[in-house]
Amino acid sequence: MSKPARPLPSVADADIRLLRVFTTVVECGGFSAAEVELNISRAAISQHMADLERRLGLSLCRRGRAGFLLTEEGRLAHEAALRLLAGLESFRSEINAAHGRLRGELSIGITDSLVTMPRMRVTNALRGLKREAPEVRVNIRMIPPNEIERGVLDGRLHVGVVPERRALPGLERLDLYEEESRLYCGHGHPLFDAAAVTRETVETADAVAPTQSQPPHALTATATATDREGVAFLLLTGCYIGFLPVHYAAHWVERGVMRALLPDSHHYRVQFSAVTKKGVPPNLVLERFMDLLERTEEA
């Protein structure tokens, strides 16, 4: 007969540090990837994880040649840790609000490659926040839109910048700007120097499809990419065609190594918005950032 599990003692500061390491390892997908994020060695991360497992009396993950994998107990512990850490940050925000001071953290999730957008509302709002509240610590994570929305809902992120998708319950949106994408090919592709490009030629050419979205044009996808940089890599081989945002492709177009194909017909626009969680407790830092984001000029 197995002995009953020993109850977990009250949570100490050391436990919070271990839980932060644990959640970072999970978010990064393993010990090696978490080294840079945590700025500690892999051996130290392994020791912290072992200490946490002893503290909780649970096996949290499996690591080895097959890679990093959470156990079922680890998944439950990770969800509980996220709620605890989000609660701590909420407590700090509410206390700062009581003092009327702009202090604490602002965690932002952003879809990749928006930094080249000519309308720099996020950049301008961050600049304004830094000037008004130099003590605020800003954390930016570049992650896919679905992860951003989950992060905002579970409290890991205060705000996210994502393309318009099926609206998730529990999120509020502030429209920021539209992004135009066009169909491109790279230098060396048969269509790059073609005098005439037709709908039939682009629809039968090898194309790269993004895994995070579906452009509203029929193409023959023979490759995929998880982000825009991956699409650009494949286009620059001269072997594929694919869609990229105009602002992101501009660098290669200006250098003469990328060309837009059928720009009058093969293009589409996506609305980008800032998303926050509905009904969150007062957070002066988030409220001021959203105010700056709404008011900032789009220059």
Side-chain angles (χ1 to χ4, degrees):
M1 182 176 179
S2 59
K3 294 190 296 184
R6 178 171 56 89
L8 180 68
S10 59
V11 178
D13 289 345
D15 298 317
I16 299 300
R17 289 194 292 271
L18 294 177
L19 290 172
R20 291 191 187 281
V21 170
F22 174 45
T23 56
T24 301
V25 169
V26 175
E27 290 170 12
C28 292
F31 291 14
S32 297
E35 284 185 86
V36 175
E37 185 80 16
L38 292 168
N39 195 29
I40 58 177
S41 69
R42 184 173 178 178
I45 294 174
S46 181
Q47 183 61 55
H48 288 323
M49 289 293 293
D51 291 344
L52 181 60
E53 288 181 324
R54 282 194 295 270
R55 176 71 167 160
L56 299 180
L58 299 172
S59 175
L60 300 177
C61 63
R62 299 186 181 92
R63 51 268 197 192
R65 293 182 180 178
F68 176 84
L69 181 67
L70 280 179
T71 63
E72 179 60 22
E73 292 83 2
R75 185 186 64 79
L76 294 173
H78 179 242
E79 293 175 356
L82 291 177
R83 290 192 294 271
L84 172 62
L85 296 176
L88 289 173
E89 180 58 30
S90 177
F91 172 79
R92 180 166 60 173
S93 297
E94 292 183 50
I95 294 302
N96 287 333
H99 287 282
R101 301 179 66 181
L102 287 171
R103 299 181 62 182
E105 295 191 359
L106 179 67
S107 296
I108 309 173
I110 303 180
T111 304
D112 73 297
S113 304
L114 288 183
V115 70
T116 50
M117 282 288 290
R119 298 183 295 280
M120 302 173 64
R121 294 183 63 173
V122 174
T123 302
N124 292 340
L126 287 171
R127 181 187 299 114
L129 183 66
K130 181 63 175 176
R131 288 172 177 170
E132 293 185 23
E135 295 181 77
V136 170
R137 178 185 176 89
V138 176
N139 306 305
I140 291 182
R141 297 192 60 208
M142 309 302 294
I143 47 180
N146 58 332
E147 293 186 28
I148 292 174
E149 291 174 331
R150 287 201 302 268
V152 171
L153 286 173
D154 66 26
R156 286 176 292 158
L157 299 172
H158 296 107
V159 59
V161 180
V162 295
E164 186 176 282
R165 295 148 42 93
R166 178 181 60 83
L168 291 181
L171 290 178
E172 294 182 343
R173 292 181 176 271
L174 170 65
D175 289 343
L176 297 179
Y177 35 61
E178 279 191 333
E179 177 186 75
E180 181 184 5
S181 290
R182 295 178 182 174
L183 183 64
Y184 292 92
C185 70
H187 184 267
H189 192 278
L191 297 178
F192 188 84
D193 293 316
V197 179
T198 66
R199 181 184 298 270
E200 289 71 22
T201 57
V202 301
E203 288 181 353
T204 57
D206 287 336
V208 53
T211 58
Q212 297 295 330
S213 61
Q214 184 61 47
H217 295 277
L219 298 177
T220 304
T222 59
T224 62
T226 59
D227 53 35
R228 297 160 174 187
E229 187 171 0
V231 173
F233 265 116
L234 289 170
L235 296 190
L236 292 170
T237 66
C239 300
Y240 300 90
I241 65 173
F243 283 93
L244 281 177
V246 171
H247 65 87
Y248 186 62
H251 168 71
W252 294 291
V253 172
E254 292 168 1
R255 289 174 53 197
V257 296
M258 199 175 281
R259 171 193 176 183
L261 303 171
L262 301 177
D264 292 335
S265 61
H266 282 57
H267 64 89
Y268 63 94
R269 292 179 177 272
V270 174
Q271 176 72 48
F272 274 80
S273 305
V275 295
T276 54
K277 185 177 181 180
K278 293 180 181 178
V280 294
N283 182 328
L284 288 183
V285 174
L286 177 59
E287 289 175 4
R288 185 57 187 143
F289 175 73
M290 294 303 294
D291 182 60
L292 289 167
L293 199 56
E294 188 169 7
R295 295 171 182 270
T296 186
E297 295 181 2
E298 296 186 358

